[in-house]
Amino acid sequence: MSWSRDEMAAKAAEEIEDGFYVNLGIGIPTLVANHIPADRDLILQSENGMLGMGPFPFEGEADPDLINAGKQTITELDRTSYFSSSTSFAMIRGGHIDLAILGTMEVAQNGDIANWMIPGKLVKGMGGGMDLVAGAKRVVVITDHVTKSGAPKLLKQCTLPLTGQGVVKRIITDLGIFDVKGEGLAVAEIAPGVSREQIQKATDAALLAWPDKELA
């Protein structure tokens, strides 16, 4: 047992507070938009020049001109505004984004993140990753706990080229939620049906603490 990607996205949505300006990265983070409570007042920002993104459209209702930074079709809201990417990056670099929820290839126990390049493989490019980890007030990572081959993604030290150093504060995976403590990770929550042994086996990073109350 473990959390599905939608359940992981729902956990990430709990990180968002009223009044927040939030940027959702490519991949699993885009699902977060579908799990934001209706009574939560916040604004989603996309680095391709959109402020006030709505959820994904229903089948047959997509507008091909409305896309997020990952080129997925999205919807607009009554308060949506559009602008150039230069203005969008000025918002990010100016420290106006309260929370960035990003995917990753690797994340280290000291908060380093590597989410943009695998040497020798074709990648789409940097995107806004470096700007977001440097400019956002808080960075949360949402990712599968291991790679497709079963290798840990939560490491003592990243092996891929870094996007940012010491920037990640919380990691949400299909196995649990982990807080970065500098010299290791504190396990804040364990997914239902997941054991400590399963997490320890799938994690290369040092685990410093476990939750007082674990889910059955």
Side-chain angles (χ1 to χ4, degrees), residues 63-175:
D63 181 345
D65 290 327
L66 292 179
I67 60 172
N68 60 20
K71 299 181 176 60
Q72 297 169 306
T73 53
I74 51 177
T75 58
E76 63 179 2
L77 306 172
D78 291 340
R79 61 183 178 182
T80 298
S81 59
Y82 305 93
F83 34 83
S84 70
S85 61
S86 60
T87 300
S88 179
F89 276 91
M91 294 177 185
I92 296 169
R93 294 167 183 169
H96 302 292
I97 303 301
D98 296 290
L99 174 66
I101 302 176
L102 305 175
T104 195
M105 297 168 188
E106 294 178 347
V107 60
Q109 63 189 30
N110 67 343
D112 290 352
I113 179 174
N115 74 343
W116 76 280
M117 179 184 179
I118 300 178
K121 293 192 176 183
L122 181 66
V123 292
K124 295 181 179 179
M126 171 58 66
M130 282 190 175
D131 297 275
L132 285 166
V133 299
K137 296 175 183 176
R138 178 174 169 86
V139 176
V140 171
V141 161
I142 179 170
T143 180
D144 292 324
H145 202 94
V146 299
T147 66
K148 291 180 180 179
S149 64
K153 297 179 75 171
L154 279 58
L155 307 173
K156 291 183 177 65
Q157 185 174 354
C158 291
T159 63
L160 296 173
L162 294 183
T163 309
Q165 294 181 304
V167 292
V168 176
K169 302 303 180 186
R170 172 164 277 197
I171 307 163
I172 299 171
T173 79
D174 50 324
L175 301 186

